[in-house]
Amino acid sequence: MIITFAHILNRSQAYMLIFTFYAFNFIVVIQLVYYLFIFGKFAFAKVQKSTPKRIPISVIVCAKNEAENVIRFIPILAEQDYPDYEIILIDDASSDDTLEIFEEFEKQYSNVRLVKVENNEAFWGNKKYALTLGIKASKKDYLLFTDADCYPASKDWITTMSSQFTMHKTVVLGYGAYEKVANSFLNKIIRFETLLTAVQYFSWAKIGYPYMGIGRNLAYKKEEFYNVKGFINHMKIRSGDDDLFINQVATSKNTAICYSPESFTYSQPKTTIKGWFTQKRRHVSTANYYKSFDKFQLALFYISQLLFFIGASVLLAYQYQWIIVLSLVGFRYLFTWITLGFAAGKLKEKDVMYWFPIIEIVLIFTQLNIFITNIFSKPVYWK
């Protein structure tokens, strides 16, 4: 019997398809574990109830060249229905009218206090330095953070977020949503990505492994800040005043989540692909400094997503076990759609789920593009 090069090639191809098929099955199992057994902890959780605590709160807002936003949103913060809170407005050496607007707010509202940050050679343009000054200036024991371009969904934002504090729960992770923009596919991508990120950090927090929070909606007791000497361990990293800090201090015992609609904050989303891509580059680069397990679980999830599409495409292109492959693809979409659908209902993002399959593919390959881009150039940080 004469063995030709074509026979060897066909045999190698057959072995490769067999390997791809079994690897594909394993990837579907990984996705099943993530979506049903991890993300399901949040997605299928009961409606959250809150008992008002009425504890003294310092709301902290740091702004740099945000004149247009603060003149619109700070009055909303000042109208919160809460008996004992102050608003700490931090002007981080703005070159526009932000400082002047803050000064007017300080005169107008009795519970507004202003912190002026001058450029410091050692901490030039470092948001963590500005936040540190604001935290030290605050008079309350509990801190609630949001960004200058954000506004709360209701007058009960402080009430709802603070309701999750207990004697042991000293960190509260909230949801920072983006406004809906009609007839914008980019807006749907942004909001779906925000939804998926929230599902991840809420779910891991519920099973006892909190790893991040977002500065648009985050609260913690001041002692947590001083216990780790603030941002000192990652002060040189320009980003991460929210997620790196939470990655450092959050534990299964001290962390709670808040996902009642009254607790949401909203921000204006990016309107260009370039602006959104730049923003995501910063977020992805910061994740490189997470704890080892957190980096592993995030990497495993995104790699399994990428390999799922590659594996399915290869197997279907060669029509190898195509009935089983199509069944697994359908099964995978079924459990992901159900899980994310329930989560989207909790976070008021149901409309993005209609575009789920397309948006997911866009996000997966955008993530890959960001990873490659960040290898060759550093992203831009605080203004």
Side-chain angles (χ1 to χ4, degrees), residues 182-215:
N183 303 316
S184 170
F185 186 64
L186 174 62
N187 178 256
K188 289 181 174 58
I189 294 175
I190 292 172
R191 290 192 295 114
F192 178 84
E193 192 271 338
T194 303
L195 163 69
L196 182 59
T197 299
V199 169
Q200 289 176 278
Y201 70 75
F202 278 155
S203 299
W204 282 104
K206 280 192 73 69
I207 63 177
Y209 293 95
Y211 71 92
M212 70 161 284
I214 53 168

Side-chain angles (χ1 to χ4, degrees), residues 282-298:
R282 293 197 302 268
H283 296 167
V284 171
S285 66
T286 305
N288 292 330
Y289 301 96
Y290 288 179
K291 294 174 184 175
S292 296
F293 174 77
D294 301 322
K295 289 191 290 185
F296 170 76
Q297 64 89 357
L298 286 170

